[in-house]
């Protein structure tokens, strides 16, 4: 038997099941950061240039996700700056990949 009012029980159960509206962006950002750290450490240990370029692509992806989160949270200035930073890193990574 539930000691709480049914109205309160319904809303507390719904609150537990609710997810953050930008959960996919946040998860993508965290995955990109973790993979960038792993590839960066392996690249430093092994000295593989291609892994460094992949690490730069992952950092750019993380910045894109951060920019999308900021834009969706009505912080357009921060979001646009993050996306511009990611474009610069993507250009650098592509330049290094072409030179490879």
């Amino acid at each position: 038997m539930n000691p709480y009012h049914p109205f309160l029980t319904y809303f507390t159960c719904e609150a537990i099941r609710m997810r953050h509206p930008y959960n996919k962006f946040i998860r993508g950002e965290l995955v990109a950061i973790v993979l960038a750290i792993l590839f960066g450490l392996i690249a430093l240990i092994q000295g593989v240039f291609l892994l460094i370029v992949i690490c730069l692509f992952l950092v750019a992806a993380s910045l894109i996700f951060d920019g999308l989160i900021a834009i969706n949270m009505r912080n357009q200035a921060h979001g646009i700056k993050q996306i511009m930073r990611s474009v610069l890193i993507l250009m650098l990574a592509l330049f290094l990949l072409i030179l490879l």
Side-chain angles (χ1 to χ4, degrees), residues 15-55:
I16 291 171
R17 284 184 271 175
M18 281 182 57
R19 292 185 178 165
H20 197 276
Y22 314 118
N23 197 16
K24 291 180 183 178
F25 292 146
I26 294 170
R27 189 173 294 152
E29 181 184 16
L30 289 175
V31 167
I33 289 173
V34 169
L35 287 176
I37 290 170
L38 290 175
F39 279 119
L41 288 175
I42 293 170
L44 285 174
I45 293 170
Q46 298 291 325
V48 179
F49 185 72
L50 186 62
L51 290 179
I52 294 172
V53 174
I54 292 172
C55 181

Side-chain angles (χ1 to χ4, degrees), residues 65-83:
F65 282 124
D66 187 36
L68 289 174
I69 292 168
I71 287 172
N72 285 326
M73 293 180 77
R74 306 287 190 255
N75 193 354
Q76 275 83 16
H78 178 71
I80 291 171
K81 284 192 273 185
Q82 291 294 79
I83 290 176

